[in-house]
């Protein structure tokens, strides 16, 4: 009888589970940072736009790119492993789809910030759009970056040539994101439309607003049920009487024709 080394199998399974847990933690961190960057990007060009906001965008963007590089290396090395079990491969493919979607959203937001920065200048405060928003986004950015506080700009005055330098840096970073997306598609062939989400974390629960709306609708239906039931009964009775009247008229006409013909 051949001997089976169960210890080797257990070690491989444990290492695979650890790699999967590490990948999920990295992707979750990237999702938070990208969401933070999108929140900050929505303020560019508005009345809350400032040198501090641009600095927060830069720090958030750098954090997102660092995470993206780590995730790309982590997922690529495991998805190209032919010995990866089917269950772990499916989970890795789910992480790959989430990661690539986050990377595309980051690319879109970076292009948006670059375009608006070229149109609206911080040097001309009159060109800022008065959106009605107040306050800053430092707390949101600090939570996404896992920092107690951000290294905010020390001065409110705009240094000469800072905006053009920032735009040039963003153009280089956008091209790096483009190359990363192309390299991902070349190295790992994961068909997104074949990857099916599963599990409670991928479910689509009703929000509090939707739940309240559904509750109100159910209450309205319960309140309308007693009043609508007599109406239905009266309509049924009316139709039945109408059919009986038509039957009697037809019978009377047939008898008249029979006796007087």
């Amino acid at each position: 009888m051949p001997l089976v080394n169960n210890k080797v199998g257990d070690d491989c399974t444990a290492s695979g589970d650890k790699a999967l847990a590490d990948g999920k933690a990295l992707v979750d961190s990237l999702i938070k940072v990208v969401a933070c960057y999108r929140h900050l990007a929505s303020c560019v060009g508005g009345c809350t736009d400032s040198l501090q906001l641009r600095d927060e965008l830069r720090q958030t963007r750098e954090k997102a790119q660092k995470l993206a590089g780590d995730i790309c290396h982590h997922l690529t090395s495991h998805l190209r492993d032919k010995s990866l079990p089917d269950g772990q491969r499916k989970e890795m493919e789910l992480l790959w789809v989430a990661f690539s979607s986050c990377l595309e959203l980051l690319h879109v937001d970076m292009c948006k910030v670059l375009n608006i920065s070229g149109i609206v200048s911080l040097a001309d405060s009159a060109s800022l759009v008065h959106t009605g928003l107040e306050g800053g986004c430092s707390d949101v950015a600090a939570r996404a970056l896992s920092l107690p506080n951000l290294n905010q700009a020390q001065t409110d005055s705009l240094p000469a040539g800072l905006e053009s330098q920032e735009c040039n840096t963003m153009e280089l970073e956008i091209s790096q994101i483009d190359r990363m997306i192309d390299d991902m598609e070349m190295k790992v062939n994961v068909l997104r439309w074949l990857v099916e989400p599963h599990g409670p974390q991928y479910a689509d629960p009703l929000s509090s607003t939707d739940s309240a709306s559904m509750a109100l609708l159910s209450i309205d239906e319960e309140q309308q049920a007693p009043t609508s039931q007599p109406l239905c009964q009266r309509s049924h009775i009316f139709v039945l009487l109408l059919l009986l009247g038509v039957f009697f008229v037809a019978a009377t006409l047939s008898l008249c024709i029979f006796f007087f013909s």
Side-chain angles (χ1 to χ4, degrees):
M1 181 177 180
L3 296 177
V4 179
N5 193 348
N6 294 327
K7 185 175 185 302
V8 176
D10 294 340
D11 292 341
C12 293
T13 304
S15 62
D17 293 339
K18 182 180 183 304
L20 186 61
D22 293 341
K24 288 181 179 180
L26 288 172
V27 172
D28 289 342
S29 299
L30 181 64
I31 290 173
K32 294 178 182 178
V33 175
V34 171
C36 171
Y37 189 82
R38 168 156 288 200
H39 180 69
L40 295 174
S42 64
C43 300
V44 177
C47 56
T48 56
D49 195 358
S50 62
L51 189 61
Q52 175 182 336
L53 177 66
R54 302 295 177 91
D55 189 59
E56 293 169 357
L57 281 166
R58 179 186 57 78
Q59 296 185 54
T60 309
R61 188 171 63 247
E62 291 175 354
K63 178 68 173 180
Q65 293 179 71
K66 183 180 182 303
L67 283 172
D70 296 339
I71 295 172
C72 184
H73 176 72
H74 181 81
L75 295 181
T76 301
S77 61
H78 286 85
L79 285 173
R80 298 182 71 179
D81 185 7
K82 302 298 183 181
S83 62
L84 189 67
D86 292 339
Q88 293 181 2
R89 181 172 294 277
K90 291 181 180 180
E91 294 292 336
M92 287 289 184
E93 289 178 350
L94 285 172
L95 294 178
W96 182 267
V97 173
F99 166 57
S100 57
S101 300
C102 284
L103 206 58
E104 291 177 355
L105 288 176
L106 178 64
H107 181 271
V108 170
D109 291 334
M110 288 174 65
C111 293
K112 171 186 173 183
V113 172
L114 178 62
N115 292 332
I116 297 179
S117 299
I119 297 172
V120 180
S121 175
L122 290 177
D124 184 13
S125 59
S127 62
L128 299 178
V129 180
H130 295 280
T131 58
L133 296 176
E134 294 181 358
C137 306
S138 300
D139 295 338
V140 178
R143 286 197 299 270
L145 299 177
S146 301
L147 296 175
N149 51 16
L150 286 176
N151 296 325
Q152 300 175 359
Q154 300 296 327
T155 177
D156 294 334
S157 60
L158 182 65
L162 179 62
E163 285 186 306
S164 60
Q165 181 182 357
E166 188 72 16
C167 289
N168 294 333
T169 304
M170 286 191 62
E171 289 178 354
L172 293 176
E173 292 175 349
I174 290 173
S175 63
Q176 291 176 1
I177 296 293
D178 284 331
R179 286 195 299 270
M180 183 180 294
I181 294 174
D182 293 338
D183 292 340
M184 287 167 51
E185 294 177 352
M186 293 293 293
K187 292 180 180 179
V188 178
N189 185 19
V190 176
L191 303 179
R192 298 188 185 184
W193 54 90
L194 296 180
V195 179
E196 297 181 359
H198 59 84
Q201 62 177 341
Y202 301 105
D204 188 15
L206 290 175
S207 62
S208 59
T209 305
D210 296 334
S211 302
S213 301
M214 294 296 293
L216 289 175
L217 288 175
S218 61
I219 292 174
D220 292 340
E221 290 177 356
E222 292 176 357
Q223 292 177 351
Q224 293 175 2
T227 58
S228 60
Q229 188 173 1
L231 293 176
C232 295
Q233 292 179 353
R234 285 197 293 268
S235 62
H236 292 163
I237 295 173
F238 175 76
V239 171
L240 181 62
L241 292 176
L242 181 62
L243 291 176
L244 289 175
V246 171
F247 174 76
F248 283 121
V249 170
T252 304
L253 290 176
S254 61
L255 290 175
C256 292
I257 294 173
F258 176 77
F259 286 109
F260 293 104
S261 60

